[in-house]
Amino acid sequence: MGTDTTTPPKLPPTWFKHLFWRGHRLLYRLVGGRVLWTPASKRGWGAMHLTTTGRKSGQLRSVIIGYLEDGPTPVVLAMNGWDEGQPAWWLNLEAHPDAVIRLKGQPERPVRARRVEGEERERLWRLWAEVDEGLDAYADSRSVDTPVVVFEPLDASS
């Protein structure tokens, strides 16, 4: 996204990132939404629980991912911990965009995921870049584009 070519910040090893998020999902199963946090935290971004439908299995799949808020709309980056490839949750949403999210202090709610493009993507990317100064360097280290995804409320009529 950026024009600056900088060395990406050092990332923890892939096994550590996977272990961390698996542990976070386990804690979520044990104590619920208390392990989530909001963008008002010192991190500047929140953690949400996302449940998708598996693109191959059709089974429900859950993950904890980081998000920002654009007004009432959660915005995420499908970045797979900055590793190569797209995260499974994003591939699931491409096949089945209807999902369920839970934010700290809120009940679960049905949403539809939508990949944003053009000016909207640029604006939301900049929103993330304000929170994560290494964002462009991380993204430049990947050979695939990083989708910017919004979760819009799913009306009962949808």
Side-chain angles (χ1 to χ4, degrees):
M1 285 299 311
T3 56
D4 298 335
T5 358
T6 59
T7 304
K10 184 97 169 118
L11 290 168
T14 301
W15 66 265
F16 179 82
K17 291 182 281 186
H18 290 268
L19 184 63
F20 173 81
W21 287 111
R22 281 188 182 123
H24 204 239
R25 283 194 307 266
L26 175 63
L27 277 173
Y28 181 86
R29 282 195 295 271
L30 295 173
V31 298
R34 290 179 287 178
V35 298
L36 301 176
W37 59 87
T38 70
S41 73
K42 65 182 177 182
R43 295 172 184 88
W45 52 275
M48 79 154 121
H49 185 261
L50 168 67
T51 303
T52 64
T53 301
R55 67 192 179 282
K56 295 177 184 175
S57 69
Q59 295 180 348
L60 296 181
R61 304 290 185 195
S62 292
V63 65
I64 307 284
I65 57 175
Y67 77 99
L68 291 179
E69 291 173 330
D70 182 38
T73 306
V75 178
V76 302
L77 301 177
M79 46 78 165
N80 203 26
W82 297 119
D83 292 337
E84 281 300 322
Q86 303 294 10
W89 62 263
W90 169 241
L91 298 174
N92 290 341
L93 287 172
E94 284 185 307
H96 306 285
D98 292 351
V100 175
I101 63 170
R102 182 172 182 200
L103 306 178
K104 180 157 184 84
Q106 298 180 21
E108 289 185 337
R109 62 181 174 182
V111 293
R112 178 163 292 145
R114 178 176 62 87
R115 181 179 185 155
V116 296
E117 300 291 345
E119 290 179 16
E120 184 180 19
R121 184 185 194 281
E122 292 296 323
R123 181 180 63 78
L124 295 174
W125 187 271
R126 284 191 306 274
L127 184 69
W128 267 101
E130 290 173 12
V131 173
D132 183 355
E133 66 185 44
L135 183 65
D136 289 335
Y138 284 131
D140 289 344
S141 71
R142 290 170 26 106
S143 64
V144 296
D145 186 43
T146 302
V148 177
V149 183
V150 297
F151 291 97
E152 298 169 329
L154 190 59
D155 297 331
S157 61
S158 296

